[in-house]
Amino acid sequence: MDGNFVYLLLQGIGWFVIAYMGFVILFYLFMLLVSLFQVRKNYQLDNTEPYEDLLDVSYSKPLSILVPAYNESLGIVPSVRSLLSIEYPQYEIIVINDGSKDDTMEKLIEEFQLKKIKKIVKQKLKTKEVKGIYQSSIYDYLFVIDKENGGKSDALNVGINLCTYPYFCSVDGDSILERDAFLKVMKPIIDSDGDVIATGGSVRIANGSAIENGSIMKVGLSSNPLVIMQVIEYLRAFLVGRIGLSRHNLLLIVSGAFGVFSKKWVMDAGGYSHTVGEDMELVVRLHRYIKEKKSNKKIVYVADPVCWTEAPEEMTFLKRQRNRWHRGLFESLWMHRSMAFNPKYGSIGMVSMPYFIFIEFLGPVVELTGYLYIILSFFLGGMNEEIALLLFLLFVIYGSIYSMLAVLMEEWSLKRYPKARHIVVLFFYSLTETFWYRPLTIIWRCQGILDVLRKKRGWGEMQRKGVSQ
């Protein structure tokens, strides 16, 4: 092959990656500015006064809290205890034991004095067989369903079939919620008088925090570099990404760890699907259903209500998680591919779907190409080193600078981390993201794409160390 042709080809690839990264950076800059404006607008308000009315039963809306649990022995009791102590006028808690192989069910029975009850459940959503329904002798609003294993989607559908209230919240079995989280996440639903049919709250990393009896006693920061980088990653994803998308009703993800939904709209849309990324797929399907019904319903993100969850501390399990997330993203986009670039679905079809296809899903491929270009430029003298340098600067802006800004936004608005040392550590680690952490996640996400092509399915085993002690 002609050497000049190869040189021009490589140069063309380099400029393509530069153009792509430039567009992505500008897009994120726009979302960052939107997020800054929105966060500052929200937190100029008093932190407690706007929620006092929600404690009135006549004003608020009752809520069913669904907790799917599979092999959650280490964290399930503290998680349920955290839910029993929340500030909300009227709610029920339904834990769904999805055929756990450990002693999750035994711990629940013993801790909350569960008694088997007879309860007729209309199976509006088809699920695996329910082996038994239990009610706590101590807390009459706490129920536990023991069922055959069918996956998280199946467990949530069982919970939807059983719950009695018009709104439900899905909470992971290893999660800890702040006491006023439900007041805050339900406020947009109540204030909109039903126009908002789903809300999502912030998810933060619990590793390193002091937790007692299912409550965060003291917010801390893990010393594990992998966990610290995940803290930064979560800040960036929630504070910059989701606030910006939510502002224009473009949000396609409500975290499976903490999201509230209208029971009616979810059931009409068919409940949770049996996919790897069931949380995103449901949100995309709800948007589709809303547009096809010619409705103006909204799905929003609320930055303040916080759900604390355990992050993987070992690279093996973090790799599996990111691989699974990327496969779940593909499933959701592929199942609803007819929405992309379709004006029938408004801004969701013309903006949100293309964003998730070309930036979130295919982005890792382009970024990996850029990293390889930079590396090769040092070994092949014929390659354009100016292009490589420009690419490197763009990666630093995209990877490290935006993460630093997310850390500053956290300190400027929410201030969850009480020690100045924590912010300094987060700020320092965000500077290093471009050099080691982001390339790792890019490789794992690209492996997720390869696994999609190989038609790999399933979640993969995840390790729980039990931060909820």
Side-chain angles (χ1 to χ4, degrees), residues 242-263:
R242 297 193 187 182
I243 291 177
L245 292 171
S246 174
R247 179 69 177 80
H248 300 281
N249 197 28
L250 296 172
L251 191 65
L252 292 189
I253 300 177
V254 170
S255 174
F258 185 32
V260 174
F261 298 88
S262 162
K263 179 181 175 181

Side-chain angles (χ1 to χ4, degrees), residues 244-417:
L245 292 171
S246 174
R247 179 69 177 80
H248 300 281
N249 197 28
L250 296 172
L251 191 65
L252 292 189
I253 300 177
V254 170
S255 174
F258 185 32
V260 174
F261 298 88
S262 162
K263 179 181 175 181
K264 178 187 180 301
W265 278 84
V266 169
M267 294 194 82
D268 288 348
Y272 285 90
S273 63
H274 296 278
T275 59
V276 176
E278 77 292 323
D279 45 2
M280 179 180 179
E281 195 283 321
L282 174 63
V283 175
V284 178
R285 188 152 30 90
L286 281 172
H287 274 299
R288 181 175 200 148
Y289 189 67
I290 288 167
K291 293 298 182 182
E292 289 174 352
K293 288 290 181 181
K294 294 182 170 54
S295 175
N296 293 317
K297 303 296 183 182
K298 296 178 181 178
I299 298 171
V300 304
Y301 166 71
V302 188
D304 198 12
V306 171
C307 168
W308 298 86
T309 191
E310 179 181 0
E313 295 187 349
E314 296 179 18
M315 202 168 288
T316 299
F317 300 106
L318 181 59
K319 174 184 175 181
R320 288 178 188 172
Q321 184 192 64
R322 298 315 158 92
N323 180 299
R324 185 182 74 242
W325 284 1
H326 216 65
R327 286 186 286 121
L329 171 63
F330 171 79
E331 282 188 333
S332 299
L333 296 173
W334 182 253
M335 288 174 68
H336 301 282
R337 58 191 180 278
S338 62
M339 294 174 66
F341 302 103
N342 190 337
K344 174 183 175 181
Y345 297 100
S347 58
I348 294 294
M350 300 304 291
V351 179
S352 198
M353 288 291 286
Y355 161 76
F356 277 92
I357 292 170
F358 292 109
I359 297 180
E360 293 294 336
F361 181 69
L362 294 176
V365 177
V366 181
E367 287 187 66
L368 183 59
T369 302
Y371 273 106
L372 292 174
Y373 191 100
I374 293 169
I375 294 169
L376 287 172
S377 71
F378 287 101
F379 296 99
L380 301 177
M383 293 184 70
N384 195 319
E385 293 179 0
E386 289 78 9
I387 292 178
L389 179 61
L390 183 54
L391 273 175
F392 176 73
L393 292 174
L394 290 174
F395 283 142
V396 170
I397 294 172
Y398 183 53
S400 295
I401 303 299
Y402 277 170
S403 293
M404 289 165 53
L405 291 172
V407 172
L408 291 176
M409 193 188 300
E410 156 70 24
E411 174 59 19
W412 185 43
S413 56
L414 302 177
K415 297 183 179 180
R416 294 287 173 185
Y417 292 94

Side-chain angles (χ1 to χ4, degrees), residues 24-38:
V24 171
I25 288 170
L26 289 175
F27 185 85
Y28 268 95
L29 178 62
F30 170 75
M31 289 208 296
L32 176 65
L33 294 174
V34 170
S35 300
L36 283 169
F37 174 79
Q38 195 68 22

